[in-house]
Amino acid sequence: MEVQPRHVVCILNNDQDVVRNLCKEYPGFEYDEEYSHGHFQEGMSTAFAASMECLIPSFVLEDQESIYKHTAVNYVLSPRMKKEDAVDISQKMLSLVAEAFKLGALAVKGESSGIAHGKLRWLELSERSKEPENRLSSLYRAWVRLPISDESKLYSVGMHLIGMKDVEINNCDSAIDDLDMFLLYLVVDRAEPNIKNGQIFGKDNESMVYTINSIDCNRYESDDFFYNPYGLWSLTSK
């Protein structure tokens, strides 16, 4: 059976009914009654710290302090996403996150890619995603986490949430910038359908040149939130 990704988002606030009712405004979205609860949860500060976006840091002291003020933990599930629906559903989830903050949410974490932004960053990305020219890049920044380190590789998690392959790259001095640039190339230029195995990629004539090949997602089991059913692009330096 084909694995269809979905968003799982953790929203900390002080009133479960606020998020329950908000979910009802988004057809197909579910409030997870099994794992949500109405009490303070130890360890949330550590969990959010481990998920903070590091490429463009946005968690400030106010965001960190807000985590300690929660008295409710809410989990929201998006519909299962077909590849062609992923962008629309991801934008709706981003809109839901923004609405949750306007209704008193204290902190939000995307569990399906392990990413947490500060409140102002979530709101900024939601607004930017409404502009057609910034829609895809904003969803990329909202839901895709990088870099994650795995021995000699750096890689991304979360591209499955916008219907694309994730990317891994050999670790080197320019690897983080090169990884981000290639991911933006996939997202903004919608280049993925035209990429062939063995093709080369480089930012410019002075930069590292990589050979591109498609591989399966073997880092995570198929039932893991991070699993990408579309696979990965593996970039190997020449």
Side-chain angles (χ1 to χ4, degrees):
M1 179 185 298
E2 180 185 356
V3 175
Q4 291 185 332
R6 78 188 315 183
H7 283 274
V8 179
V9 168
C10 174
I11 301 175
L12 304 184
N13 75 347
N14 293 313
D15 187 345
Q16 285 183 273
D17 284 339
V18 169
V19 181
R20 274 197 191 97
N21 292 332
L22 181 59
C23 285
K24 295 174 184 176
E25 299 177 15
Y26 289 80
F29 285 65
E30 302 173 34
Y31 184 84
D32 190 335
E33 296 287 355
E34 181 177 359
Y35 291 101
S36 302
H37 56 77
H39 58 79
F40 179 83
Q41 183 171 327
E42 293 285 350
M44 274 296 175
S45 178
T46 300
F48 270 75
S51 298
M52 287 181 193
E53 163 68 338
C54 55
L55 192 66
I56 305 176
S58 62
F59 244 77
V60 297
L61 181 60
E62 184 179 351
D63 295 308
Q64 295 169 356
E65 291 176 343
S66 292
I67 294 171
Y68 290 100
K69 299 176 182 178
H70 79 273
T71 56
V73 177
N74 309 272
Y75 289 97
V76 177
L77 313 177
S78 78
R80 296 281 180 185
M81 298 186 291
K82 296 179 181 178
K83 195 168 189 174
E84 60 268 25
D85 300 328
V87 167
D88 287 343
I89 292 174
S90 287
Q91 183 161 22
K92 288 175 183 176
M93 183 59 90
L94 187 54
S95 295
L96 186 152
V97 167
E99 286 300 314
F101 275 117
K102 293 172 185 176
L103 294 170
L106 300 167
V108 172
K109 176 158 63 85
E111 302 286 358
S112 298
S113 55
I115 196 167
H117 304 286
K119 174 182 176 178
L120 294 181
R121 179 63 168 163
W122 279 119
L123 293 173
E124 175 195 359
L125 290 169
S126 178
E127 284 302 308
R128 288 186 75 249
S129 74
K130 298 173 185 176
E131 303 164 0
E133 68 274 18
N134 293 319
R135 185 188 192 199
L136 292 173
S137 62
S138 298
L139 295 177
Y140 164 64
R141 294 296 183 200
W143 300 120
V144 180
R145 189 176 181 209
L146 70 142
I148 302 173
S149 178
D150 179 7
E151 298 178 350
S152 63
K153 302 280 189 180
L154 298 180
Y155 63 97
S156 66
V157 167
M159 289 288 281
H160 60 310
L161 302 174
I162 50 177
M164 300 182 192
K165 299 177 190 288
D166 275 291
V167 178
E168 68 171 25
I169 192 169
N170 287 349
N171 201 349
C172 64
D173 290 343
S174 64
I176 295 175
D177 288 342
D178 294 345
L179 176 61
D180 186 43
M181 183 66 70
F182 184 74
L183 285 160
L184 282 169
Y185 169 61
L186 296 180
V187 173
V188 177
D189 293 348
R190 305 187 185 195
E192 185 164 275
N194 299 318
I195 296 176
K196 308 297 182 185
N197 284 339
Q199 188 173 326
I200 61 172
F201 172 81
K203 290 186 297 185
D204 52 53
N205 292 335
E206 304 300 321
S207 301
M208 184 82 73
V209 175
Y210 299 91
T211 301
I212 308 168
N213 284 290
S214 177
I215 62 173
D216 292 334
C217 180
N218 294 318
R219 285 189 178 88
Y220 305 105
E221 297 295 328
S222 61
D223 59 352
D224 193 293
F225 290 156
F226 293 178
Y227 177 75
N228 190 328
Y230 313 120
L232 291 86
W233 293 113
S234 180
L235 273 57
T236 307
S237 54
K238 297 187 70 176

